Amino acid sequence: MIEIHDTLRNEYGWDIVAVHAAVDEVMETSRLSYPYLGDDNWTDDRILYSECIVTDGDEVVGAGRLIWDAERENALPRIQDFCLLRAYRSDFVISSMISVLIDGYAEEAEGGTTVLAHDGSEIDISERVERLRDIARGQFEPRVI
């Protein structure tokens, strides 16, 4: 079964070193993220807001991060290190990964309400940010089933 896990919360007790080694393997062959200059240089002003991995049983089949270079002028928060094995690539899995990453960022959204997707496109998350703020204040509409 395919699952998406938030690795920053590490609620599963994984060996993070082993997980990152597995992600590196997938990244080498299955990268989908748009290449940004300076991605290899992790500076002190870079903030990791969210990170996820995709697993199929015990196998890591994908991953992604949402980061923001706070000190760079006009830098937008962006999805990087986004990878997914070809056999698992579907619009549903990719959009679910993006959604998980954006939700992790939208809780604070310090870098603004526009996020660069893995392919370089801009995503307006203003409605999501507002909804999460309303929920945090206890003001939300119940779901209708």
Side-chain angles (χ1 to χ4, degrees), residues 6 9 102-110 128-129 132-133:
D6 178 345
R9 293 192 176 113
I102 288 174
D103 280 348
Y105 168 73
E107 293 173 4
E108 296 179 35
E110 291 180 39
R128 190 177 300 191
V129 169
L132 288 173
R133 287 183 183 154

Side-chain angles (χ1 to χ4, degrees), residues 64-77:
R65 292 183 176 131
L66 195 147
I67 59 117
W68 179 46
D69 290 319
E71 297 300 318
R72 283 191 187 171
E73 189 173 326
N74 300 321
L76 294 174

Side-chain angles (χ1 to χ4, degrees), residues 16-107:
I16 293 300
V17 174
V19 167
H20 283 285
V23 168
D24 287 345
E25 258 184 60
V26 174
M27 190 82 62
E28 285 180 27
T29 60
S30 305
R31 181 182 283 268
L32 294 170
S33 57
Y34 187 81
Y36 293 97
L37 288 176
D39 272 355
D40 295 337
N41 302 324
W42 198 276
T43 61
D44 291 338
D45 68 322
R46 182 168 286 173
I47 302 168
L48 175 62
Y49 276 98
S50 59
E51 182 179 57
C52 72
I53 62 168
V54 181
T55 60
D56 185 357
D58 291 337
E59 179 185 7
V60 174
V61 299
R65 292 183 176 131
L66 195 147
I67 59 117
W68 179 46
D69 290 319
E71 297 300 318
R72 283 191 187 171
E73 189 173 326
N74 300 321
L76 294 174
R78 69 179 186 268
I79 294 173
Q80 75 167 35
D81 298 336
F82 195 81
C83 59
L84 188 63
L85 292 178
R86 188 169 304 281
Y88 297 90
R89 290 182 190 171
S90 69
D91 290 340
F92 177 75
V93 174
I94 290 171
S95 64
S96 296
M97 289 173 67
I98 291 169
S99 183
V100 166
L101 293 169
I102 288 174
D103 280 348
Y105 168 73
E107 293 173 4

Side-chain angles (χ1 to χ4, degrees), residues 106-107 128-140:
E107 293 173 4
R128 190 177 300 191
V129 169
E130 213 37 56
R131 189 175 136 267
L132 288 173
R133 287 183 183 154
D134 288 347
I135 289 170
R137 288 186 219 128
Q139 305 168 353
F140 61 95

